[in-house]
Amino acid sequence: MNDDTVLNRALARQLRGLHLTSASSPSPAAWLALLDLLSTTYTKADDERLTLRRSIDLSSREMRSMHEDLSRQALQDTLTGLPNRAALIRHLDQSLKACARLGQGLAVLFIDLDGFKQVNDSLGHAVGDELLVLAGQRIRACMRPQDVVARLGSDEFVVVCPNVSGSTIVPDIAARIGSQLAAPFPIGDHQAIVSASIGLVTTADTGASAEDLLGQADLAMYEAKVGGRARATAFDSSMQMAVDNRFSVRNALGRAVTGHELRVLYQPIVSLADERVVGAEALVRWERPGFGLVQPDDFIPIAEESSLISAVDCWVLQEVCRRGAQWCAAGAVIAINLSARTLQQDDVVRTLSQSLDQSGIKPGQLIMEITETTLLSGTGATQDNLLRLRKLGVKLSIDDFGTGQSSLSQLQQTDVDVLKIDQSFVARMDADTSSAAIVNAIITLGHALGLSIVAEGVERPTQAVLLREVGCDQVQGWLFGRPLPAEAIDRAFGLAEPELSAG
Ligand code: C2E
Ligand code: MG
Ligand code: MG
């Protein structure tokens, strides 16, 4: 192999590393890298009198000007002409160092447009692009010349304000930007309307890096979105702790399902007419090493952010079928909670049907509890799975009824068997007449539709008396039994000796 071949192969390898393909035009950064690579190789080729020298015919002046153009492009957002992410990080790094040297404060504002997707979807991408350009100009016009306004991508902008002092200045800047962006954008024949969720972080602290500050401002922006949009929220350290906690719970929960750390407790469901235990609701718990028994509210919402929830729900389904077969043989029904995401999974009905086959439980003895929000936000897959569940013969219950959108037409269209009145109404029904009226109305409506009614969260005898008066069918609550281990339910169905009382 001669030197030419060796050099050409080395060059080819490096070119491949730049991911330049004929199918896509290279990014400015890739062009720059290519130019650097060619000029190095060019020099080498010159020295070693190799063939590549002839193939590159760029004068050094052209090369320099092209380099400058590309450098600019590599740091500029092509749509708005504002600095892009790479330029922002560079500015932020420099500003942080300068502010630290001069003992000045620095603020970062992370701006995300609310409703931009709707503008894009309804008015088209050309209007969307124009809006982004105008939004960038409006933000720029709110700022001092020494402030940097950059576009990160999509509908996200970042402002860096060096040398800010005083606690009200940054919120004032955020309010100014917010009101400028909330004004309609006249584009062609349209009036595009958006608002802005803004996260802000101020620092006099020299320790934080540019990426840290951006991340903190982004977190604060997310809180502004969650808090209702069209607002500015300042970063505080609890936001970072919440993110760290979510991350650690998600990681540990991934191992919990296979690592046998999940448990199921069963809360008795009682017939109000004769106070007999007729079934139980399965409620998951997590015995997390080093943390004790973790309640569902502390991990189910995190599991629901990913497919972890399906693993949890499917494990509970299998465990209930394994442990509850004897109770069902004695005539009990068992209720199981299913999250929206689980109900979208292909394999949930298959898992359930296999578990039913193995356990011998009749499908009609299992009740799947879903919320109104799950019903309303459900995709086609949700509706398909609901139909398949019905076909299988399991029952459906609407959990926490009255707290979601309570769509009566949805209720009419969905083939359900049970309504569970949310405990917030039950909690107040013996103290305030409007809660009692709502409970009464739900029972009347449910019965008119041929549904069975369960009231959750019954804690006091007065509530039980009122519920009996208005014809509620079944109840669940601390008055009748807390969530219990399976052995206690064995005893409730006479499948184990009663526990000997102490003394
Ligand atoms: P939910 O399905 O509405 O369950 C009722 C919740 O109310 C349970 O809380 C139960 O312990 C509690 N509760 C029952 N009676 C009373 C009472 O008299 N007073 C009060 N204050 N509370 C009472 P828990 O066990 O903490 O579960 C909370 C939620 O977590 C459940 O609400 C359900 O949405 C979810 N969850 C529990 N297990 C699972 C599961 O296996 N899968 C899914 N996807 N979600 C589950
Ligand atoms: Mg439930
Ligand atoms: Mg409930």
Side-chain angles (χ1 to χ4, degrees):
M1 204 180 288
N2 64 23
D3 284 351
D4 282 19
T5 322
V6 171
L7 184 70
N8 285 337
R9 285 200 176 171
L11 182 59
R13 211 171 32 249
Q14 295 187 55
L15 285 173
R16 269 201 304 280
L18 294 177
H19 302 294
L20 298 173
T21 64
S22 54
S24 62
S25 59
S27 66
W31 272 120
L32 273 181
L34 173 63
L35 278 182
D36 286 343
L37 175 60
L38 287 178
S39 41
T40 341
T41 317
Y42 177 76
T43 317
K44 268 191 206 155
D46 194 12
D47 288 342
E48 294 163 32
R49 285 172 273 102
L50 296 176
T51 52
L52 207 61
R53 180 181 185 181
R54 290 191 297 278
S55 62
I56 302 168
D57 191 22
L58 285 170
S59 75
S60 63
R61 200 163 46 79
E62 283 171 317
M63 194 96 139
R64 225 182 5 258
S65 111
M66 202 165 158
H67 200 282
E68 277 164 15
D69 278 356
L70 289 168
S71 302
R72 198 165 19 77
Q73 280 179 39
L75 295 172
Q76 199 176 50
D77 170 49
T78 42
L79 179 67
T80 59
L82 293 172
N84 64 10
R85 186 185 178 95
L88 172 75
I89 297 286
R90 196 183 274 189
H91 281 300
L92 192 49
D93 264 337
Q94 288 164 356
S95 301
L96 270 173
K97 284 188 191 120
C99 285
R101 214 172 37 248
L102 302 168
Q104 295 172 344
L106 175 134
V108 177
L109 291 88
F110 198 113
I111 304 158
D112 185 286
L113 301 183
D114 312 316
F116 176 70
K117 186 176 178 315
Q118 284 89 319
V119 171
N120 245 349
D121 290 347
S122 58
L123 303 179
H125 287 252
V127 173
D129 282 355
E130 181 66 17
L131 189 147
L132 290 174
V133 173
L134 295 174
Q137 289 169 359
R138 283 190 191 177
I139 300 171
R140 183 63 269 176
C142 291
M143 308 310 303
R144 305 167 303 178
Q146 66 267 40
D147 300 328
V148 172
V149 177
R151 176 173 172 239
L152 279 199
S154 180
D155 55 352
E156 292 174 345
F157 296 86
V158 169
V159 176
V160 176
C161 316
N163 188 15
V164 285
S165 52
S167 56
T168 57
I169 287 185
V170 185
D172 284 351
I173 299 171
R176 207 160 60 227
I177 295 174
S179 82
Q180 284 300 313
L181 293 176
F185 287 84
I187 301 171
D189 299 335
H190 306 289
Q191 292 284 331
I193 296 178
V194 291
S195 57
S197 293
I198 304 176
L200 45 106
V201 58
T202 356
T203 181
D205 157 26
T206 53
S209 71
E211 291 285 359
D212 287 346
L213 278 183
L214 259 190
Q216 291 171 352
D218 189 4
L219 269 183
M221 183 281 289
Y222 177 75
E223 289 297 319
K225 285 258 182 229
V226 173
R229 302 166 155 222
R231 67 196 58 217
T233 304
F235 172 79
D236 79 63
S237 55
S238 69
M239 294 176 190
Q240 189 61 53
M241 276 156 61
V243 169
D244 294 346
N245 177 53
R246 272 214 298 275
F247 182 74
S248 108
V249 166
R250 200 175 305 135
N251 272 344
L253 191 56
R255 294 186 297 270
V257 182
T258 45
H260 310 288
E261 293 170 13
L262 296 183
R263 309 278 174 265
V264 182
L265 295 184
Y266 299 88
Q267 184 173 35
I269 300 175
V270 171
S271 151
L272 204 44
D274 51 11
E275 300 206 355
R276 205 168 42 88
V277 177
V278 291
E281 176 176 5
L283 296 160
V284 72
R285 300 288 184 268
W286 176 17
E287 220 167 82
R288 185 177 179 192
F291 290 80
L293 202 64
V294 185
Q295 300 298 313
D297 286 348
D298 294 330
F299 68 93
I300 290 286
I302 298 171
E304 282 176 334
E305 291 169 6
S306 71
S307 58
L308 266 177
I309 190 62
S310 314
V312 172
D313 283 351
C314 287
W315 180 84
V316 171
L317 275 179
Q318 291 165 323
E319 174 63 11
V320 165
C321 288
R322 187 189 69 77
R323 196 57 181 82
Q326 278 183 298
W327 313 333
C328 291
V333 291
I334 312 177
I336 299 171
N337 294 282
L338 282 190
S339 284
R341 205 186 257 264
T342 307
L343 208 52
Q344 288 168 8
Q345 298 297 312
D346 286 342
D347 52 357
V348 61
V349 183
R350 196 177 49 241
T351 306
L352 179 59
S353 139
Q354 283 168 354
S355 306
L356 282 170
D357 283 350
Q358 282 163 11
S359 65
I361 294 176
K362 294 194 198 96
Q365 288 182 291
L366 285 193
I367 306 177
M368 299 295 128
E369 293 196 0
I370 52 180
T371 62
E372 293 162 276
T373 321
T374 301
L375 266 184
L376 280 175
S377 63
T379 58
T382 310
Q383 300 306 330
D384 288 351
N385 276 338
L386 282 175
L387 275 178
R388 290 165 67 204
L389 286 175
R390 297 300 303 180
K391 249 197 196 138
L392 197 64
V394 296
K395 296 201 162 145
L396 290 181
S397 163
I398 301 190
D399 203 357
D400 307 337
F401 188 76
T403 55
Q405 275 115 327
S406 303
S407 155
L408 296 183
S409 67
Q410 185 71 39
L411 187 60
Q412 196 182 23
Q413 280 161 31
T414 314
D415 195 9
V416 295
D417 306 276
V418 181
L419 283 190
K420 287 189 92 168
I421 307 174
D422 187 67
Q423 49 184 281
S424 56
F425 302 114
V426 177
R428 294 191 301 261
M429 71 178 295
D430 52 354
D432 98 67
T433 48
S434 64
S435 294
I438 290 174
V439 170
N440 197 357
I442 295 176
I443 294 173
T444 310
L445 171 76
H447 282 164
L449 294 172
L451 311 179
S452 170
I453 311 292
V454 181
E456 323 184 85
V458 182
E459 293 181 358
R460 294 181 289 277
T462 44
Q463 294 163 333
V465 168
L466 285 174
L467 285 163
R468 195 174 281 120
E469 272 172 20
V470 288
C472 183
D473 303 298
Q474 293 168 353
V475 283
Q476 214 183 309
W478 294 347
L479 182 64
F480 300 96
R482 296 206 175 217
L484 301 164
E487 296 71 35
I489 305 296
D490 285 341
R491 285 191 287 278
F493 287 109
L495 299 166
E497 293 298 315
E499 236 177 352
L500 290 177
S501 49

